[in-house]
Amino acid sequence: MDFDIVALSRLQFALTALYHFIFVPLTLGLSVILAIMETVYVMTNRTIWRDMTKFWGVLFGINFAMGVATGIVMEFQFGMNWSYYSHYVGDIFGAPLAIEGLMAFFLEATFVGLFFFGWDKLSKRGHLVTTWLVAIGSNFSALWILIANGWMQNPVGAAFNPQTMRMEVTDFGAVLTNPVAQAKFVHTVSAGYTAAAIFVLGISAWYLLKGRHVQLAKRSMTVAASFGLAATLSVLVLGDESGYLSSEHQKMKLAAIEAMWTTEPAPAAFTAFGFPDATARETHYAVHIPMVMGLIGTRSLTTEIPGIEQLVERGQLLIQDGIKAYDALQTIRSVAPGAPVPQEASDMFESKGHSLGYALLLKRYVDDPRLATPEQIHKAALDTVPPVAPLFWSFRVMVGLGMFFILLTGTFFILSTRRTLDKHRWLLKVAVFSIPLPWVAIEAGWIVAELGRQPWVIEGVLPTAVAVSNLGATTLLITIAGFAAIYTVLLLIEMKLMLKAIRKGPEETAPSPVPAGAAIHTQRA
């Protein structure tokens, strides 16, 4: 059997990334929830809030350890499975990863230890500072990783050096302030907060259904409902911003998400439902909501969103420009050291160099892009269309679940204000069964983000097919099977440890005496 090395390499990285991101959202969200709970404890001196912080902290610690174990492997994969990618953009991509390891991860890991072992060794305020530093470190880790990922989606602040054949940083500030990276960060973090809120909400609901740890469960649900409602609304707003940025920087991704085969009159409609057919280039049984996609994608009523067919035609033109840039690059590199570069080649590369990556799309069909036939150019242009049906459905699963989370957290927020959290058992059951749903939405979101970028590993700069290492199919198949087995075992271990801790429940201590003058202020806490 003839195995596709590129497809196997992508499968391996997708597998490890999706497994790793099972653990990340809960770490992001629980760290902040822990800090909120301990803040209430320090302000009120009510031991129940300390018990809550310790209990949810145990679940945080289990998840944190698994996240670290699965995340380290991914960074090694860049050098081992994607060696040309690491060579080509290592100067830019490596910097955020290094900063994440030095500044964020070590900050987080150091204070995680103090969080667990410092309860009796630090003052209350000192331990609270430690907990907040754990939360800040967790979110800083996400920031630097998403700056790196955002640069892959929108490569700013860098330029290609014809002499070294590498991308090099020209403006690190632009890399840090990349609007796509910032939007991805806040959107991803908000999704993690939502996952943690639903997790706490569901487990607390289970305790109420069982009649166990009722007071702790009610307070936990109140925090989770309030925090979760804010987070889910943030995801909605920030997702809208991501859609708008896609219309500027990743037009093909947006068109594929919408299965928009041809350009529609502005403002374009949003396809709420349908069955995309890539062969027929149409969406069967489509249900449209007028004007919504135009407003999301362009923030106007007059700007068109280009369709897939028009973007393929644009891709052919860019490939032709890329061939000219490739020819100029070969001329520049053929000049002897110290000899002057022909002005014509220099000018051509200056004007067409931004399209060089499109010429590299032809490497799938011909070794020298300058020898490509019109048919090969057309095939390469068609390759710029990502898989439409998976993107279409993943996006709608993500959005549909997001709407459900707003309804769920909003309902429990209202119940918490009325102090009737345990009055509707069917709602408590809904909360319990909703625990895995945020992970479904998050994984669907990553499918949209990463599959939507194909065929690029760096949007418009480096095709995925060119970025892989020269590995054998046997090596990849063995490692894919190995990673799948090991990560599945780790996931099962986490679930077993989590369920054991949940069944055991929190260790509740006797309440601390509250000063008489503070009794009125702390009664409702």
Side-chain angles (χ1 to χ4, degrees):
M1 184 180 294
D2 183 20
F3 290 102
D4 185 343
I5 302 303
V6 177
L8 288 175
S9 297
R10 287 178 58 196
L11 175 62
Q12 185 189 80
F13 196 84
L15 180 73
T16 53
L18 291 175
Y19 261 109
H20 174 59
F21 220 78
I22 292 173
F23 308 105
V24 172
L26 194 57
T27 297
L28 293 174
L30 267 185
S31 64
V32 179
I33 290 177
L34 291 177
I36 293 171
M37 289 179 174
E38 190 170 353
T39 299
V40 178
Y41 164 62
V42 171
M43 292 174 63
T44 64
N45 201 35
R46 296 289 296 271
T47 55
I48 190 171
W49 289 93
R50 172 174 166 150
D51 295 339
M52 289 164 59
T53 307
K54 283 188 171 183
F55 171 65
W56 296 111
V58 170
L59 301 181
F60 166 81
I62 295 169
N63 189 77
F64 173 78
M66 295 300 178
V68 172
T70 55
I72 291 174
V73 174
M74 293 182 62
E75 298 200 14
F76 286 105
Q77 281 186 304
F78 289 118
M80 298 177 69
N81 287 49
W82 303 89
S83 57
Y84 191 70
Y85 166 84
S86 299
H87 165 78
Y88 202 77
V89 299
D91 285 358
I92 305 114
F93 191 79
L97 293 185
I99 296 172
E100 185 267 341
L102 292 172
M103 187 177 82
F105 178 73
F106 285 116
L107 170 69
E108 180 184 14
T110 299
F111 287 101
V112 162
L114 290 174
F115 171 82
F116 286 106
F117 301 109
W119 282 102
D120 299 322
K121 296 177 174 61
L122 299 172
S123 67
K124 285 198 294 188
R125 287 181 173 80
H127 195 276
L128 176 62
V129 170
T130 295
T131 306
W132 275 108
L133 287 173
V134 170
I136 292 170
S138 299
N139 285 268
F140 259 127
S141 292
L143 172 64
W144 293 106
I145 292 297
L146 291 168
I147 284 174
N149 183 269
W151 186 82
M152 295 168 67
Q153 312 279 349
N154 179 36
V156 297
F160 179 76
N161 186 332
Q163 302 303 324
T164 62
M165 294 292 290
R166 302 177 70 191
M167 295 290 291
E168 297 176 355
V169 177
T170 58
D171 185 354
F172 193 61
V175 175
L176 297 182
T177 58
N178 184 350
V180 173
Q182 301 304 319
K184 285 181 70 66
F185 169 67
V186 291
H187 185 63
T188 302
V189 166
S190 296
Y193 294 170
T194 299
I198 302 296
F199 178 78
V200 173
L201 197 70
I203 293 172
S204 300
W206 184 78
Y207 281 136
L208 291 182
L209 288 169
K210 296 294 183 180
R212 298 174 54 194
H213 312 293
V214 172
Q215 294 305 314
L216 183 144
K218 285 184 176 180
R219 286 167 171 80
S220 295
M221 289 187 81
T222 299
V223 173
S226 305
F227 184 70
L229 180 59
T232 53
L233 291 173
S234 297
V235 171
L236 178 66
V237 173
L238 298 168
D240 172 71
E241 179 66 17
S242 295
Y244 174 67
L245 290 172
S246 293
S247 70
E248 291 188 344
H249 306 292
Q250 294 179 297
K251 297 181 187 298
M252 184 63 83
K253 176 192 285 188
L254 185 64
I257 287 171
E258 276 303 294
M260 188 181 294
W261 305 104
T262 58
T263 302
E264 299 178 9
F270 174 76
T271 305
F273 180 83
F275 295 94
D277 185 343
T279 303
R281 297 285 179 176
E282 63 175 307
T283 303
H284 303 294
Y285 308 109
V287 177
H288 299 292
I289 303 176
M291 300 193 299
V292 172
M293 196 62 235
L295 293 173
I296 293 174
T298 66
R299 306 276 172 84
S300 78
L301 296 173
T302 58
T303 305
E304 287 185 338
I305 297 177
I308 291 174
E309 292 182 4
Q310 285 68 38
L311 291 171
V312 168
E313 294 174 1
R314 174 177 172 268
Q316 286 189 239
L317 297 177
L318 289 171
I319 290 171
Q320 292 168 354
D321 285 347
I323 293 172
K324 296 175 183 177
Y326 185 88
D327 181 61
L329 176 63
Q330 300 309 310
T331 301
I332 293 170
R333 290 185 56 77
S334 67
V335 174
V341 175
Q343 189 63 42
E344 183 179 357
S346 179
D347 291 343
M348 179 61 71
F349 191 80
E350 183 71 24
S351 63
K352 304 294 185 182
H354 63 278
S355 300
L356 178 64
Y358 283 85
L360 299 180
L361 290 170
L362 292 164
K363 288 284 188 176
R364 287 189 60 188
Y365 306 105
V366 61
D367 290 334
D368 189 340
R370 294 172 294 185
L371 303 178
T373 64
E375 291 77 13
Q376 290 170 331
I377 291 174
H378 181 65
K379 285 182 179 180
L382 290 175
D383 287 343
T384 62
V385 183
V388 175
L391 288 175
F392 182 88
W393 285 112
S394 295
F395 179 79
R396 278 145 188 82
V397 167
M398 178 183 66
V399 171
L401 287 174
M403 295 298 183
F404 170 72
F405 299 146
I406 292 174
L407 179 62
L408 182 68
T409 55
T411 299
F412 277 99
F413 176 76
I414 293 171
L415 293 178
S416 68
T417 61
R418 296 177 178 177
R419 300 183 179 276
T420 56
L421 285 169
D422 56 350
K423 299 301 181 184
H424 306 281
R425 291 183 64 82
W426 70 273
L427 278 175
L428 297 177
K429 292 178 181 179
V430 169
V432 173
F433 287 110
S434 297
I435 291 175
L437 295 182
W439 280 267
V440 175
I442 288 169
E443 299 288 11
W446 276 108
I447 290 173
V448 170
E450 299 305 302
L451 192 61
R453 191 180 63 238
Q454 295 305 316
W456 304 103
V457 66
I458 307 292
E459 182 75 31
V461 172
L462 184 65
T464 306
V466 179
V468 297
S469 302
N470 187 21
L471 298 174
T474 302
T475 301
L476 287 167
L477 287 170
I478 291 173
T479 54
I480 288 171
F483 281 134
I486 293 171
Y487 280 24
T488 300
V489 169
L490 289 175
L491 180 60
L492 292 175
I493 290 172
E494 177 181 56
M495 292 177 67
K496 183 176 180 179
L497 292 173
M498 287 278 200
L499 290 172
K500 182 179 179 180
I502 292 166
R503 290 193 183 102
K504 179 182 177 183
E507 296 180 0
E508 300 186 47
T509 56
S512 301
V514 180
I520 296 176
H521 299 287
T522 60
Q523 185 176 7
R524 290 191 175 184

